[in-house]
Amino acid sequence: MKILFSPSETKSNTITSGPLSDESFIFPHLYEKRLDILNAYQSYIEKSPLLLLQKLFGYKDEEKTRLHATINLFTSFTCKAIERYTGVAYQYLDFKTLDAPSQSFLENNVMIFSNLFGPLLGKDFIPEYKLKQGESFNGLDIETFYKKNFTDAIDAWCGDELILDLRAGFYEKFYTLKQPYITMKFLKNGKNVSHFAKAYRGTVLRDIAYHRPSTEKEFQKIPFAGLKLKEILLFKYKQEYIFESID
């Protein structure tokens, strides 16, 4: 099973490995393409005034802005992407408390779509950084850049495996699936959940890590915590599994 996932605005300051290199990422043959974006970002934060950096980072706090402006992507130490992000979904995933086989599954089969680094495996190494969702620099269309240059590689990575797309809508801009896949929608009292959907994505990912399905039938048998399957809607490529909260 391959799983597409979102990053988070909040990040840990964990360091477990050395600075970035072409071995830090999946698709090493596309490392130079990533560098086009990373070099542009690094140059921008080194040369831009405080007000522009506050907008880029999404901070009002001047001290926090200055602190993040001192981070150098290329000399900072790194940790695995799945341990770097600390938002709601990652809190509910609680990666560090999973057993070793579950952690290994997530490290190798979850692709996180960073708005700076592009598509990352859970085990890819990245430094701490800050870039507010939807912001850009130097007039770059980052989502289109990664979609244009990485789509073929992601297609090959997905192969003919079962695919679950758990991304938030914004990150669908980085890659469009052109083969059958599953999505999940979460309801509470018959209504769509918004912010708490992040928590459901985290718990779902945790359950999947334990069960590690390879077919849709195996996926359907997973007793997702706090959720009950209500219906399945079929579209061209997408099967939308709609779950009702039973908490």
Side-chain angles (χ1 to χ4, degrees):
M1 182 180 218
K2 301 299 187 187
I3 304 161
L4 310 185
F5 211 65
S6 302
S8 71
E9 293 279 0
T10 56
K11 301 167 186 73
S12 73
N13 58 6
T14 302
I15 53 173
T16 60
S17 191
L20 292 178
S21 73
D22 59 345
E23 297 180 352
S24 300
F25 304 104
I26 190 176
F27 313 137
H29 64 290
L30 294 172
Y31 181 64
E32 296 299 321
K33 290 294 183 183
R34 291 192 204 267
L35 286 183
D36 289 345
I37 298 296
L38 302 185
N39 282 322
Y41 172 88
Q42 189 64 48
S43 176
Y44 186 86
I45 65 171
E46 290 174 358
K47 297 177 181 179
S48 295
L50 184 66
L51 282 176
L52 287 181
L53 293 179
Q54 286 177 297
K55 183 174 184 292
L56 186 74
F57 298 154
Y59 281 146
K60 292 182 180 179
D61 188 294
E62 293 185 4
E63 184 177 348
K64 284 185 177 181
T65 302
R66 290 192 178 96
L67 179 62
H68 274 278
T70 65
I71 296 175
N72 186 301
L73 294 180
F74 301 104
T75 60
S76 296
F77 279 32
T78 61
C79 75
K80 291 176 181 177
I82 203 159
E83 296 180 278
R84 176 65 67 201
Y85 298 108
T86 60
V88 173
Y90 292 87
Q91 292 172 28
Y92 278 80
L93 169 61
D94 201 6
F95 176 81
K96 290 183 178 180
T97 65
L98 290 167
D99 58 31
S102 298
Q103 288 186 346
S104 179
F105 173 83
L106 294 178
E107 289 174 354
N108 289 283
N109 295 288
V110 172
M111 181 163 284
I112 302 166
F113 287 78
S114 162
N115 60 345
L116 179 61
F117 292 97
L120 302 166
L121 278 189
K123 67 179 180 181
D124 287 357
F125 287 92
I126 58 172
E128 187 180 1
Y129 70 98
K130 188 66 178 175
L131 176 58
K132 185 180 178 182
Q133 179 181 301
E135 289 295 333
S136 186
F137 44 88
N138 295 343
L140 292 171
D141 186 342
I142 302 172
E143 305 96 89
T144 299
F145 175 89
Y146 280 117
K147 185 173 185 177
K148 176 183 177 182
N149 290 289
F150 283 73
T151 286
D152 288 347
I154 300 171
D155 284 345
W157 176 76
C158 288
D160 58 0
E161 293 199 40
L162 180 67
I163 299 171
L164 175 63
D165 189 354
L166 288 176
R167 292 176 294 175
F170 175 81
Y171 297 98
E172 294 174 5
K173 300 176 184 178
F174 288 76
Y175 173 69
T176 300
L177 283 157
K178 301 181 292 293
Q179 62 193 85
Y181 64 98
I182 295 169
T183 65
M184 300 176 74
K185 183 176 180 179
F186 307 105
L187 307 177
K188 190 173 183 66
N189 299 322
K191 297 180 180 179
N192 291 346
V193 297
S194 52
H195 177 72
F196 206 72
K198 297 177 181 178
Y200 286 132
R201 292 186 190 113
T203 58
V204 160
L205 192 56
R206 185 177 179 88
D207 288 337
I208 287 172
Y210 276 127
H211 293 274
R212 301 187 284 280
S214 58
T215 67
E216 189 171 355
K217 285 186 177 180
E218 291 175 355
F219 171 78
Q220 291 174 345
K221 292 178 181 178
I222 297 174
F224 291 113
L227 296 170
K228 181 180 179 181
L229 181 62
K230 184 178 180 181
E231 62 179 323
I232 303 172
L233 300 181
L234 304 178
F235 300 90
K236 183 177 181 181
Y237 293 119
K238 179 172 72 172
Q239 293 191 78
E240 185 174 63
Y241 280 62
I242 300 178
F243 287 86
E244 181 79 30
S245 170
I246 55 176
D247 290 339

